């Protein structure tokens, strides 16, 4: 599939063709010298038109497995070279292509696994946004499985600056950031499912690698709120607030937890008073008024009874001697 030549001629744009077609020759070019990325030219591109770092490129590409299964396919996809808009293997390949050049290329197992991991993470995000947290967690776990395969079996470099069979710090940092992103997202889904211990484990992975990860501290606070451990929740929120002082959502959560803690303190003080000080004492003047009122009622009741007895006696006497 070819893109309109007018697009290719625009300033700061390179059009690069890739895909699965019949090749013109059997010569494969090892782009990195390690076998990690192999290229076979189908159409020669224009001379001296390779893109520079950060330059805008437009490409058509299709990623397939050896059995022909399509993993990913895009037409007129825009990216900025060297900005990690696509996986590293594709990013490196584009930098070595010319305008209108077209070729298939093979990626090493490690790069393919990273691609699969990213796709699973994106799928997990899709399910999470739709409230299907259980499915999202499954996708995130599968994404981690792919990254585990990469970390345990890298056989060639993933970046442009390399030596044969040597893994650079940049490669490892990229893998680490992918893992952190997956674990952080998975923790959010686990919190929604009230899987608090699992969420804590996911967040611990993040915080061991990035102690100042704001999202991880905030989500850890949400875990402790779910477990009704508000003191630990407040501690995590204060750390998140320290890292992001102007975050309104963090401040809102701090205010909410503070109100609950204050109510708990009032209830605890009242309970302690009842346990150790007996019934609540009333005001002495109020008690005195109540006592005086009771005395007056009793006095009038006694006088009334006395008068009634006297009247009854007089009546009886009169009837007796009538």
């Amino acid at each position: 599939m070819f893109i309109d030549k007018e697009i290719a001629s625009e300033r700061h744009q390179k059009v690069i063709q890739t895909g699965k077609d019949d090749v013109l020759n059997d010569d494969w070019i090892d782009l990195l010298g390690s076998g990690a990325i192999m290229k076979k030219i189908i159409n020669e591109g224009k001379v001296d038109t390779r893109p520079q770092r950060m330059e805008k490129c437009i490409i058509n590409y299709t990623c397939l497995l050896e059995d022909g299964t399509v993993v990913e396919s895009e037409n007129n996809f825009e990216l900025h070279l060297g900005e990690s808009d696509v996986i590293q293997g594709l990013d490196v390949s584009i930098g070595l292509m010319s305008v209108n050049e077209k070729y298939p290329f093979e990626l090493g197992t490690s790069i393919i696994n990273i691609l699969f991991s990213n796709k699973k993470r994106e799928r997990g995000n899709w399910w999470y946004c739709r409230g299907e947290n259980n499915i999202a967690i499954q996708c995130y776990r599968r994404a981690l499985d792919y990254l585990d395969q990469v970390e345990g079996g890298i056989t060639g470099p993933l970046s442009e600056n390399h030596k044969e069979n040597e893994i650079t710090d940049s490669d490892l940092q990229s893998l680490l950031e992918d893992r952190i992103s997956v674990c952080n997202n998975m923790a959010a889904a686990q919190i929604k499912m009230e899987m608090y211990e699992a969420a804590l484990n996911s967040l611990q992975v993040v915080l061991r690698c990035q102690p100042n990860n704001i999202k991880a501290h905030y989500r850890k606070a949400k875990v402790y709120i779910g477990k009704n451990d508000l003191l630990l929740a407040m501690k995590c929120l204060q750390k998140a607030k320290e890292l992001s002082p102007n975050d309104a959502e963090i401040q809102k959560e701090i205010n909410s937890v503070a109100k609950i803690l204050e109510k708990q303190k009032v209830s605890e003080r009242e309970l302690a008073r009842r346990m150790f000080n007996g019934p609540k004492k009333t005001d002495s003047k109020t008690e005195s008024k109540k006592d005086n009122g009771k005395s007056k009622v009793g006095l009038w009741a006694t006088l009334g009874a006395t008068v009634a007895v006297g009247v009854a006696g007089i009546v009886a006497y009169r009837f007796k001697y009538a």
Side-chain angles (χ1 to χ4, degrees):
M1 183 179 296
F2 292 90
I3 299 177
D4 193 325
K5 292 182 179 179
E6 291 182 0
I7 299 178
S9 64
E10 291 181 9
R11 187 177 182 183
H12 301 309
Q13 293 185 354
K14 308 294 182 184
V15 179
I16 299 162
Q17 303 283 343
T18 65
K20 187 177 181 181
D21 294 274
D22 294 331
V23 296
L24 299 181
N25 56 67
D26 295 328
D27 297 327
W28 286 88
I29 301 173
D30 189 346
L31 295 183
L32 301 180
S34 65
I37 304 177
M38 303 293 293
K39 155 184 173 179
K40 183 182 289 187
I41 297 177
I42 297 175
N43 291 335
E44 294 283 355
K46 296 180 180 180
V47 179
D48 297 328
T49 58
R50 288 184 176 180
Q52 302 299 312
R53 180 177 175 82
M54 299 183 67
E55 191 168 12
K56 181 180 178 181
C57 301
I58 301 175
I59 66 171
N60 294 346
Y61 72 91
T62 301
C63 295
L64 307 97
L65 300 180
E66 290 183 359
D67 61 5
T69 301
V70 176
V71 178
E72 186 175 29
S73 182
E74 294 285 351
N75 288 326
N76 296 338
F77 181 80
E78 296 186 5
L79 62 95
H80 288 84
L81 187 64
E83 294 297 301
S84 300
D85 293 336
V86 291
I87 61 171
Q88 286 182 316
L90 184 55
D91 213 17
V92 172
S93 300
I94 292 170
L96 299 175
M97 297 180 73
S98 303
V99 171
N100 289 335
E101 185 175 341
K102 184 178 182 180
Y103 67 74
F105 63 93
E106 296 179 357
L107 299 178
T109 303
S110 299
I111 298 176
I112 290 294
N113 283 340
I114 292 173
L115 174 62
F116 282 170
S117 177
N118 289 339
K119 296 296 290 184
K120 283 295 182 181
R121 180 182 61 189
E122 292 171 3
R123 197 62 179 170
N125 294 344
W126 189 87
W127 284 113
Y128 175 79
C129 291
R130 284 152 183 78
E132 297 289 348
N133 298 296
N134 190 38
I135 302 177
I137 291 170
Q138 294 177 27
C139 291
Y140 293 139
R141 285 174 176 164
R142 192 70 184 109
L144 289 176
D145 289 341
Y146 283 120
L147 291 178
D148 287 340
Q149 294 175 28
V150 175
E151 293 174 5
I154 296 178
T155 57
L158 301 176
S159 62
E160 188 173 4
N161 300 320
H162 71 281
K163 294 180 181 178
E164 189 171 359
N165 296 325
E166 178 181 330
I167 306 305
T168 67
D169 290 341
S170 176
D171 297 332
L172 295 177
Q173 181 63 32
S174 179
L175 290 173
L176 181 62
E177 290 175 357
D178 287 343
R179 176 174 290 278
I180 287 171
S181 180
V182 173
C183 289
N184 224 339
N185 292 352
M186 184 162 64
Q190 289 167 332
I191 291 171
K192 293 286 187 181
M193 295 286 292
E194 298 185 1
M195 301 167 60
Y196 297 128
E197 292 303 323
L200 279 178
N201 290 336
S202 298
L203 293 170
Q204 285 302 110
V205 172
V206 177
L207 292 173
R208 277 198 299 267
C209 301
Q210 292 183 353
N212 292 331
N213 189 292
I214 300 170
K215 285 185 179 180
H217 285 291
Y218 179 78
R219 287 170 179 165
K220 194 173 181 180
K222 299 292 282 187
V223 169
Y224 286 127
I225 291 173
K227 297 178 70 173
N228 201 32
D229 193 337
L230 299 183
L231 291 178
L232 282 178
M234 181 61 81
K235 183 178 179 181
C236 294
L237 287 170
Q238 293 291 359
K239 179 63 176 178
K241 178 71 173 178
E242 177 185 332
L243 296 170
S244 182
N246 299 321
D247 192 306
E249 190 65 25
I250 294 174
Q251 186 59 56
K252 179 181 178 181
E253 204 67 48
I254 288 175
N255 295 340
S256 176
V257 172
K259 288 180 181 179
I260 299 174
L261 286 172
E262 184 58 32
K263 288 181 180 179
Q264 288 183 351
K265 288 180 181 179
V266 172
S267 298
E268 290 170 358
R269 285 196 295 265
E270 179 63 18
L271 179 61
R273 185 196 61 74
R274 291 179 180 179
M275 291 177 62
F276 298 106
N277 297 332
K280 186 177 180 180
K281 295 181 179 179
T282 56
D283 185 70
S284 58
K285 292 183 179 179
T286 303
E287 290 294 334
S288 177
K289 289 180 179 180
K290 289 181 179 180
D291 292 340
N292 291 338
K294 290 179 181 179
S295 298
K296 289 180 180 179
V297 172
L299 177 60
W300 284 108
T302 302
L303 290 175
T306 302
V307 171
V309 171
V311 172
I314 295 172
V315 172
Y317 178 79
R318 287 182 175 178
F319 275 104
K320 183 177 179 180
Y321 292 99

